[in-house]
Amino acid sequence: DLQPIELVWALIKGNVGRQYTHGTTLKEVKARLDAEFDKLESMPGQTTIKKIIDSVDKHLEKFAVEIDAEEKVEEEEISDGDVEELVEFMEELELGNIDTSAAAQNI
């Protein structure tokens, strides 16, 4: 997901939701929400958020590489061999065999 706040909200909502019982009051839900938000301010919460942001960054780098490759095909007249090489590159990228952060730096 490219909207990190949605991932953070899902984490909080899941943690609060797992504590729900038939007799849970709104006051208890509010207290549990406050506790979850307080956890975000502690080191483990910051680590979780950093991981979420890093994950989004990784996806964006992958998309940037893919978009640049597509633009190269559209902008340049390339040979069949170049197309085959590009297709192989895209397949390796999808399989996760290419370090997208290194590839993005080479663009």
Side-chain angles (χ1 to χ4, degrees):
D1 192 347
L2 297 179
Q3 298 177 5
I5 193 65
E6 294 295 329
L7 298 172
V8 173
W9 177 242
L11 174 72
I12 291 170
K13 188 170 98 173
N15 290 344
V16 171
R18 281 187 285 282
Q19 299 175 49
Y20 180 82
T21 63
H22 182 66
T24 300
T25 65
L26 187 56
K27 186 176 182 177
E28 290 171 321
V29 172
K30 167 90 168 80
R32 292 172 185 167
L33 278 171
D34 289 341
E36 289 300 320
F37 279 109
D38 288 343
K39 285 181 188 178
L40 290 179
E41 295 175 4
S42 68
M43 196 56 161
Q46 290 176 355
T47 301
T48 300
I49 293 171
K50 173 118 175 64
K51 286 180 184 177
I52 291 169
I53 292 170
D54 289 346
S55 172
V56 170
D57 287 345
K58 183 178 175 182
H59 286 293
L60 290 175
E61 288 172 0
K62 178 184 171 188
F63 291 139
V65 169
E66 290 175 0
I67 289 169
D68 287 340
E70 289 173 7
E71 287 177 351
K72 179 181 178 184
V73 170
E74 292 172 0
E75 291 175 1
E76 298 178 6
E77 191 161 323
I78 57 176
S79 70
D80 289 340
D82 290 338
V83 171
E84 289 173 12
E85 183 179 327
L86 186 57
V87 168
E88 288 175 15
F89 172 80
M90 296 299 285
E91 289 171 352
E92 291 295 314
L93 185 64
E94 287 178 8
L95 294 172
N97 296 336
I98 294 177
D99 179 8
T100 56
S101 60
Q105 291 175 356
N106 292 330
I107 297 174

